[in-house]
Amino acid sequence: MSLNNKLSQPAVRAFVAAVNATDRKALWATLTPDASMSDDNMDHNLVEWAEREIFGSHPRMDVEWESDDGLSLRARYHNDIWGDLSSAWTFTLTDGKISHFEAGPG
């Protein structure tokens, strides 16, 4: 059962919704102007990563677990590049927006 609509942090809930809708405007609205990210412990250019991993690959993120503070998730993630995989996501918030997130195997 997906927790997508029940996530406790509004910015994280909006991020997941934007990923699933492949909505550029909504995704960038969840992030601070200087947001950064890493994937598998490697820093990436956020814009390039999002174009490849989200907007160009038909993603679907189904959250299965959320930490007590709402800043860490485990999700089933699917896209055209990697297929289906278990993924872990950790978010850092600044003034209610995501300033950094980490994705990796879950």
Side-chain angles (χ1 to χ4, degrees):
M1 175 159 91
S2 174
L3 299 174
N4 292 9
N5 295 326
K6 299 176 183 176
L7 297 174
S8 60
Q9 290 288 345
V12 174
R13 187 172 55 249
F15 177 92
V16 171
V19 167
N20 287 338
T22 60
D23 184 332
R24 282 178 177 83
K25 184 176 179 181
L27 182 74
W28 300 126
T30 69
L31 304 170
T32 62
D34 61 345
S36 61
M37 66 83 53
S38 60
D39 187 359
D40 286 336
N41 295 316
M42 292 178 39
D43 292 337
H44 291 272
N45 176 292
L46 177 55
V47 173
E48 292 172 4
W49 183 90
E51 284 299 321
R52 181 180 64 253
E53 300 282 341
I54 297 174
F55 305 122
S57 68
H58 305 99
R60 179 69 194 166
M61 187 175 182
D62 290 311
V63 178
E64 299 173 326
W65 173 85
E66 174 187 37
S67 64
D68 289 342
D69 65 4
L71 297 176
S72 295
L73 311 174
R74 187 178 61 248
R76 294 294 310 157
Y77 189 79
H78 172 88
N79 70 21
D80 292 346
I81 298 169
W82 304 108
D84 293 310
L85 54 99
S86 180
S87 60
W89 300 75
T90 303
F91 299 88
T92 302
L93 300 183
T94 302
D95 297 327
K97 292 194 171 203
I98 297 165
S99 56
H100 182 79
F101 68 90
E102 299 177 28

